[in-house]
Amino acid sequence: MKRIPTSFLLNSLMVMLFLYLPVVILIGMSFNASTMGIAWKGFTVQWYQKLVMDPSILDATLNSVFIACVSTGLALILGVGTAIGLEKSQGMQMPLVNMVMVLPLVIPEILLGVALLMVFVLCRIPLGFGTIIIGHMVFNLPLTVVIVRARLRKLDPAWEDAARDLGATPWNVLTRITLPMLRPAIWGAALLGFTVSLDDFVVTFFVAGPGSTTLPLKVFSMIKTGITPEINALSAVMVVVSMICVGLSWLFQQRSTVGSSESTLS
Amino acid sequence: MNESVVLDGVVKTHGPIVAVDHVSLSIQSGEFFSILGPSGSGKTTVLRLIAGLDRPDQGEIVIQQRIVTSDSPHERPVNMVFQHYALFPHMSVFDNVAFGLKMRGERPSNIQKAVGHMLALVRLQGKEKRLPGQLSGGEQQRVALARALVNRPVVLLLDEPLAALDQQLRQEMQGELKRLQREVKATFICVTHQQDEALMLSDRVAVMHGGKLLQVGTPQEIYEQPVSSTVARFIGLSNLLSGTITRFEDGLCWVEHEGLSPVVVKCPPQGPSQGAVTVMIRPERLHVSAEVSVNGYDNTLPAVVNQCVFNGNEVLYHVRLRNEAIWMARVPITEAQGCPLTVGQPVFLQWSAHEGLALPTHPAPL
Amino acid sequence: MSSAFPVKLSLLSAGIFLGLFFLVPLLLIFGVSLASRGMYGGLAWIATSENYQRLLDPLVGTIFLRSFLFAGLTTMVCAAVGFPLAYCMARASRQWQLLLLILVMIPFWTNFLVRTYAWVLIFRADGILNTLLMRLGLLEEPLSMLFTDVSVFVGLVYGYLPFMVLPLVVAIERISPQLEEAAFDLYASMGAMFRHVLLPLSKPGFIAGGVLVFIPSLGAFITPYLLGGGQKMMLGTLIQQEFLVSRDWPFGSALSFGLMGTVLLLWFLLGRTSYGRDSS
C-alpha cells in the first residue's frame, strides 16, 4: 500500500474494529460461565449444551432451514431464467422492469412486511410456512437476478454467437454454454439467498403464523423475555454460520472473475 | 470457377445507423477474400450476415447457389473464427473443437477421429486436455481455427484473425492461414483493418467505408488503380492534389491546380474525362532531386524539403509544394548517407505521366 | 434473438410473482391508507383523509423528525468514517483489496438482529462499556446507555456503514491514480488533492452510498426496537406498533406510505445521476 496517508490506515483499522468487536464480544460472552453481567467466571460450553437440549430451538432451526431451502430453491429456478431473459432483451430499454427488479432489495424491509401482511390477511391466506416462503422469495428472487445478471454482463456475447455458428440450438446454447458459465454465480446466489433467508427477521416477523417460528424470531422472543447466556450462544452460532455462508458465496462469485470487484458490489 | 458466396443489395441497420448499405458482392469458390476497412465501416457486420448471426433488413445472401437469407446459423455451411476467438472457457481444447460435431450429432468415434486430425493439422497435438486459459495467444488462435474448420465449412469467416497477436506471431500465422487454406480447400473470407495483411494474404480485396463497398479487386489493382481518393488514402501512402481537367487525350489528361503548373497523368477508361478530379501519385514513384533532370519526366513541380525521416532502408521526404500542400517522396538508400537533401533545400519533384492517376473527386457508388 | 422456452417461462412467472407479491402489496398500502378503521381493529372501506391528517400530530411529527434526523446524521457519519476505508480499499494491492472487501462484505450480509443484539451487551447497565469505564475509574455509577439517542445512533451507523463503503470503493476505483499524481505534479498538497480531485470525483459513490444508508436507516425497525426501546421511537417502530399492537391498519398504512414516498423519491433522484444508470 503505497502513498496512502497513515491517518487513513488508522481510521480503516478503527472501522474494522468497530465492525468486528461486537461480534467478537458476543462470541466471547457465549463461553462465559457467569449467568449475570460480563465479569469473566471461567470458560464453559454449558450454554451450547443447553441449546442442543432445547426442543423449541431444534424446531426453530428445522423451520428456518426448511424455509431457506425452499425459498432459495424457488428463487433460483425463477431467477436464473429471468436474469438471462432480461439481459437478452437489453436492447429494449426497460427501466421500469429493472427498477421493480431491484426495488425489493432497497426499500425498508418493514414496508414489505406490513404490505404482505395486509395482502395475506385480506385474501384470507393463513399465515405460516407458505407466507414466510413467499415473503422471502420477494427479496431472494431479485437477489438472484442481480447476482446472475452481474455475471452475465461479463460473459462475452461472442461465446453464444460462436455456439450458434457451430450449430447449437437455443436450448443447446442455454444448457451447454450459458448455464455452465454461470455456475459460480448461481452457487454464489444460492448461498447468499440461503443466508439472507435464514437470517431474515423483519419480513418473517410480520408474516409468520403460529407454529412457524424461525430462529431469528426465537432469538427475538428470548431477548424480550430477558437476556440470558443461551441467547449469546445461539447468536454466536447464527453469526458464525452466516459468516461462513457469506464467505463461501463470495468466493464462488469471485471465481474466474479475477480483476473485478463489481460483481459483488452492485 | 463458381460462386461460393453472393450478396445482393444487402442492407443492415442498427437503429439509426446504417451498418451495411446496399452491398453486392460475389466471392468465388476457393478464394482468399479480404474485406478491408476502418473500424465502424460495417465489415464485421457483413461477416455476421454471412454467418447468419444477424439478419439483413433488405437483400439476399446466397451460399453455394442456395438462398440462405433467412436460415439460422446452424443451417449454413459456414463457420467463423471470432475476433477474440470466443473459445468456451469452461471446455477443454478437445471439447471446444468437438462442439460443432456434437451439435450435429456425429458419432463419438467419428468426432474423436476428426478432432484428432484437425488438431494435428493446426499442430496442437498433446494439448487436447488444456483449458483455453492455459494456452498462449497463438495457440488459442489455432484452436479457434480448428474449431471452425473441423466442421468442413464451405466458407470460413475470419474476424480480425491476427489482430490480437504480436508482430512476429502475426507473420507466422499469415503463412499458416495460407497453408491451411490450401489444405482444406475452403473459401476464406477475412475481415481486417490492416491493409498490409489484406494485400499479402488475399486473392481479392474489398474496401469498405461507411457501410458502402468502395472497390473490389486484386491487391495490385487496389493499390495501383484505386477508384477514389478514399481508397487511395486507405491503402498505402499517397500524395493527392485536387484540380480540374483541361484536356483529355489517349488516356492521358492535363489537370490544372490553383497555384501550381498543370500536370499530366493517366486517366483510366472508366475514370473521369472532364471536370473536377483528384490526382494521386504514390511516394515511391516520385523522383526528388536538387536539379531538374532532363531525361523524359513529363511533370516537374518545385518544392522545399520540410522534413526527412530515415527508415533504415529508405528515406521519406516530406516536401512542401508552392500551394502549401505537404507531399511525401520515398527514396531508397543507395549509399551510406542518411538524408542527402537537407531541410529547407529547394528541390524538384518529377514523374512520368503514367505514374500518376486522376481519380474522380465524387465517385459513383459501386 | 430467440431465447430458449424455459427462459421465457421463468421471465413470465417471475414477473407475475413480483407483481402479485410486491407491486400489489405496495399499492395496497396506499389503498388502505385511505380507508377507515372498523370495529375491533378491522378495516372499513370508507374513504377518508383522516389518517393523513393524523400525521400532523405533534407526537407523530416528533417521531418523523427524529427518524429523518437520525437517518441524515447516520448517513453523514457513515460517509465521513467510510471514505478513508474505501480509499484504502480502492488503492490497496490486489490481495489486500480482496481481503478487505470480504471483511466488509461479511457484516453486510450477516444476521442483522444478532449483530444489533451484540450492542445490547455492550450498552447495558452491567454491560461491557459500563464495566470498562468503572474499572478505569472514569465512572462511579453505571450510566444508562441503552435506550438513548446515542445507542440508537451507534447501532444505525454500525448496521449500515458497509452500504456506504462498498459504493465508495467502486467510485474511487474508477478514478485513475494518475489523476492524483497529476495533482501532486501540479503542486497540490495531500489535502488539496483530496479536496479538489478525489472528493468531487467520488460524488457518485457518495450519492449511491448516501441513498443506500439513508433509506434503511429511515425505516429501521430492529435497531430502534432493541437499542431505543419504547422511549426512542422511530418510524419503523411506530409502524410496527400501529400494525401489531394498536391494530390500526389505515393509520399504519398512511405512515408506511409516507416512508415509501420518501424512498421512491430518493430512488428516483438517484436514478437520474449517471451512477444509478450504469450500475442499476
Side-chain angles (χ1 to χ4, degrees):
Chain A
M1 290 204 221
K2 49 178 193 285
R3 210 181 280 170
I4 294 176
T6 323
S7 58
F8 275 34
L9 292 177
L10 275 178
N11 174 294
S12 303
L13 192 68
M14 301 290 285
V15 172
M16 283 297 173
L17 278 179
F18 176 64
L19 285 179
Y20 281 90
L21 212 53
V23 174
V24 173
I25 289 171
L26 179 71
I27 295 172
M29 295 296 286
S30 71
F31 293 106
N32 189 352
S34 156
T35 47
M36 293 290 282
I38 60 129
W40 186 256
K41 297 267 170 64
F43 180 87
T44 179
V45 290
Q46 60 168 313
W47 314 122
Y48 289 92
Q49 284 168 338
K50 268 194 163 177
L51 281 187
V52 180
M53 308 300 275
D54 188 340
S56 70
I57 284 175
L58 183 69
D59 266 356
T61 309
L62 290 178
N63 289 348
S64 273
V65 170
F66 171 73
I67 289 164
C69 285
V70 176
S71 73
T72 310
L74 290 175
L76 274 186
I77 292 171
L78 291 186
V80 174
T82 306
I84 295 172
L86 286 176
E87 275 309 297
K88 277 272 170 60
S89 52
Q90 66 194 6
M92 323 183 255
Q93 281 299 312
M94 304 177 300
L96 188 72
V97 174
N98 287 335
M99 184 162 159
V100 168
M101 270 296 154
V102 287
L103 212 49
L105 299 175
V106 295
I107 67 163
E109 269 198 285
I110 194 159
L111 289 179
L112 209 56
V114 297
L116 281 170
L117 172 70
M118 290 198 292
V119 167
F120 293 143
V121 171
L122 289 176
C123 296
R124 297 184 206 291
I125 299 171
L127 299 180
F129 288 109
T131 52
I132 300 178
I133 288 169
I134 289 175
H136 288 196
M137 273 180 72
V138 172
F139 52 75
N140 257 346
L141 180 59
L143 188 65
T144 310
V145 172
V146 167
I147 292 174
V148 174
R149 277 183 86 170
R151 173 90 183 125
L152 269 172
R153 272 193 212 125
K154 291 210 187 89
L155 296 186
D156 187 348
W159 280 321
E160 291 191 358
D161 284 342
R164 291 201 297 143
D165 180 63
L166 294 167
T169 57
W171 171 254
N172 279 326
V173 173
L174 181 68
T175 54
R176 285 171 188 265
I177 305 297
T178 315
L179 287 181
M181 291 205 273
L182 287 179
R183 196 170 291 144
I186 293 172
W187 276 107
L191 272 165
L192 205 57
F194 182 83
T195 321
V196 172
S197 168
L198 206 61
D199 287 349
D200 178 74
F201 170 72
V202 178
V203 171
T204 317
F205 183 59
F206 283 93
V207 299
S212 60
T213 302
T214 64
L215 265 182
L217 292 188
K218 178 76 189 161
V219 172
F220 186 74
S221 72
M222 285 164 81
I223 296 173
K224 274 206 321 197
T225 33
I227 287 165
T228 61
E230 286 98 321
I231 303 178
N232 299 346
L234 183 53
S235 301
V237 172
M238 288 168 69
V239 157
V240 170
V241 167
S242 65
M243 280 187 172
I244 290 171
C245 286
V246 174
L248 281 178
S249 158
W250 202 77
L251 284 180
F252 271 117
Q253 290 180 65
Q254 283 301 310
R255 235 177 53 175
S256 71
T257 59
V258 183
S260 172
S261 49
E262 279 163 90
S263 63
T264 38
L265 295 178
S266 53
Chain B
M1 284 261 262
N2 55 347
E3 284 151 347
S4 176
V5 177
V6 176
L7 273 68
D8 184 17
V10 169
V11 176
K12 174 72 186 174
T13 53
H14 295 304
I17 302 152
V18 185
V20 175
D21 193 356
H22 292 94
V23 166
S24 297
L25 195 59
S26 93
I27 296 163
Q28 306 300 317
S29 196
E31 219 177 355
F32 199 120
F33 191 90
S34 288
I35 305 175
L36 180 62
S39 58
S41 59
K43 54 192 193 309
T44 297
T45 311
V46 169
L47 218 55
R48 293 176 59 87
L49 288 168
I50 298 172
L53 295 168
D54 286 336
R55 296 279 158 81
D57 301 328
Q58 275 178 48
E60 295 284 6
I61 297 170
V62 181
I63 299 175
Q64 295 260 294
Q65 279 81 47
R66 193 163 64 87
I67 297 177
V68 296
T69 314
S70 51
D71 286 0
S72 295
H74 66 268
E75 293 165 321
R76 302 184 186 205
V78 177
N79 287 106
M80 184 143 158
V81 175
F82 288 81
Q83 181 165 15
H84 302 289
Y85 317 138
L87 299 178
F88 305 129
H90 59 301
M91 292 183 191
S92 66
V93 167
F94 181 92
D95 287 334
N96 262 288
V97 177
F99 188 86
L101 299 175
K102 274 187 198 150
M103 290 295 109
R104 285 203 302 210
E106 292 281 339
R107 278 211 309 278
S109 59
N110 287 352
I111 295 180
Q112 193 80 33
K113 217 165 31 182
V115 174
H117 173 249
M118 193 45 72
L119 287 176
L121 194 65
V122 298
R123 299 175 189 154
L124 275 177
Q125 303 101 311
K127 309 232 163 159
E128 292 88 346
K129 293 200 174 66
R130 300 276 186 91
L131 288 175
Q134 300 165 317
L135 300 177
S136 71
E139 286 170 332
Q140 291 183 13
Q141 161 91 74
R142 289 158 198 268
V143 176
L145 279 165
R147 186 176 71 174
L149 287 175
V150 77
N151 306 293
R152 310 209 148 275
V154 173
V155 180
L156 182 73
L157 306 170
L158 301 121
D159 188 0
E160 301 275 4
L162 307 177
L165 303 178
D166 59 43
Q167 191 56 43
Q168 200 182 345
L169 212 50
R170 182 180 296 177
Q171 274 164 10
E172 206 178 296
M173 282 309 292
Q174 281 176 356
E176 194 81 2
L177 279 178
K178 288 296 260 188
R179 178 182 69 83
L180 276 174
Q181 199 211 5
R182 277 197 301 278
E183 294 199 31
V184 300
K185 298 184 182 65
T187 309
F188 277 34
I189 304 179
C190 174
V191 149
T192 179
H193 68 275
Q194 302 271 346
Q195 40 136 333
D196 54 339
E197 207 167 287
L199 297 184
M200 268 186 264
L201 284 172
S202 322
D203 299 319
R204 281 197 305 152
V205 178
V207 182
M208 273 189 88
H209 187 82
K212 291 194 172 71
L213 209 53
L214 299 183
Q215 187 172 10
V216 182
T218 64
Q220 202 188 345
E221 279 167 4
I222 300 264
Y223 188 80
E224 303 282 354
Q225 292 153 37
V227 297
S228 67
S229 50
T230 317
V231 176
R233 263 196 213 102
F234 196 63
I235 315 272
L237 291 175
S238 52
N239 298 309
L240 301 170
L241 202 59
S242 39
T244 324
I245 296 183
T246 51
R247 200 172 128 209
F248 177 76
E249 209 177 284
D250 290 340
L252 293 179
C253 47
W254 281 255
V255 182
E256 248 174 25
H257 314 272
E258 208 160 304
L260 295 174
S261 45
V263 296
V264 54
V265 293
K266 246 189 333 187
C267 260
Q270 73 274 22
S273 56
Q274 57 182 358
V277 287
T278 303
V279 167
M280 180 202 86
I281 305 110
R282 295 288 183 190
E284 64 272 18
R285 300 289 164 81
L286 284 176
H287 179 260
V288 197
S289 57
E291 278 134 47
V292 178
S293 25
V294 280
N295 51 347
Y297 292 111
D298 303 305
N299 298 296
T300 303
L301 287 179
V304 172
V305 176
N306 202 35
Q307 201 186 340
C308 171
V309 181
F310 179 70
N311 260 348
N313 56 355
E314 59 171 33
V315 164
L316 192 64
Y317 287 109
H318 297 230
V319 296
R320 186 186 292 122
L321 302 187
R322 287 245 169 99
N323 67 347
E324 296 297 311
I326 302 284
W327 274 23
M328 277 177 278
R330 211 173 243 159
V331 179
I333 288 181
T334 45
E335 293 159 47
Q337 194 180 6
C339 296
L341 302 171
T342 52
V343 173
Q345 185 178 348
V347 291
F348 294 95
L349 305 173
Q350 294 184 291
W351 72 95
S352 338
H354 65 270
E355 310 268 30
L357 191 64
L359 302 170
T361 303
H362 304 290
L366 271 188
Chain C
M1 200 171 6
S2 58
S3 314
F5 174 69
V7 169
K8 287 176 184 153
L9 188 67
S10 45
L11 202 55
L12 187 70
S13 358
I16 293 173
F17 180 84
L18 286 180
L20 276 182
F21 295 110
F22 181 64
L23 290 182
V24 168
L26 289 190
L27 290 176
L28 192 66
I29 290 182
F30 183 62
V32 173
S33 73
L34 296 173
S36 308
R37 202 174 174 198
M39 299 290 261
Y40 314 113
L43 269 180
W45 293 108
I46 303 161
T48 174
S49 62
E50 185 200 342
N51 302 307
Y52 287 97
Q53 284 161 20
R54 282 178 62 193
L55 292 183
L56 302 174
D57 184 300
L59 266 176
V60 178
T62 314
I63 292 173
F64 252 95
L65 201 65
R66 179 186 292 125
S67 300
F68 272 89
L69 216 63
F70 273 17
L73 213 57
T74 303
T75 308
M76 282 192 279
V77 170
C78 282
V81 170
F83 183 79
L85 174 62
Y87 179 77
C88 291
M89 288 168 73
R91 293 286 184 255
S93 68
R94 203 72 225 157
Q95 293 97 314
W96 270 101
Q97 188 177 44
L98 282 175
L99 181 72
L100 288 171
L101 266 178
I102 195 160
L103 282 176
V104 176
M105 283 299 293
I106 284 177
F108 192 66
W109 293 108
T110 33
N111 202 313
F112 193 79
L113 174 73
V114 167
R115 285 198 303 131
T116 310
Y117 165 71
W119 282 100
V120 176
L121 294 182
I122 295 172
F123 280 133
R124 278 166 69 191
D126 56 351
I128 304 276
L129 207 53
N130 268 317
T131 313
L132 204 67
L133 291 174
M134 275 156 60
R135 286 265 171 88
L136 291 172
L138 294 171
L139 275 183
E140 299 278 311
E141 295 267 289
L143 201 66
S144 72
M145 289 188 262
L146 200 56
F147 307 140
T148 60
D149 284 336
V150 174
S151 61
V152 176
F153 176 66
V154 170
L156 287 174
V157 172
Y158 175 71
Y160 301 119
L161 184 60
F163 288 89
M164 176 64 82
V165 175
L166 296 177
L168 273 178
V169 175
V170 174
I172 299 172
E173 265 205 310
R174 286 186 189 164
I175 306 170
S176 162
Q178 280 190 2
L179 291 181
E180 295 173 31
E181 289 170 354
F184 289 132
D185 182 58
L186 298 168
Y187 322 112
S189 65
M190 183 66 89
M193 189 278 286
F194 270 96
R195 201 163 51 251
H196 296 296
V197 177
L198 219 45
L199 288 178
L201 286 173
S202 309
K203 204 172 122 196
F206 282 113
I207 293 175
V211 172
L212 287 180
V213 172
F214 189 81
I215 289 175
S217 312
L218 195 63
F221 166 65
I222 294 175
T223 317
Y225 193 96
L226 287 185
L227 301 175
Q231 288 97 334
K232 300 296 173 191
M233 290 254 275
M234 280 177 69
L235 263 176
T237 32
L238 182 62
I239 290 173
Q240 181 261 344
Q241 201 175 54
E242 292 304 326
F243 273 93
L244 298 184
V245 183
S246 324
R247 297 210 164 260
D248 189 345
W249 283 15
F251 181 52
S253 293
L255 287 169
S256 305
F257 190 72
L259 176 59
M260 195 164 78
T262 314
V263 168
L264 289 181
L265 186 72
L266 277 172
W267 199 240
F268 171 74
L269 291 177
L270 174 71
R272 295 184 53 167
T273 69
S274 61
Y275 183 84
R277 253 199 304 281
D278 61 29
S279 70
S280 67

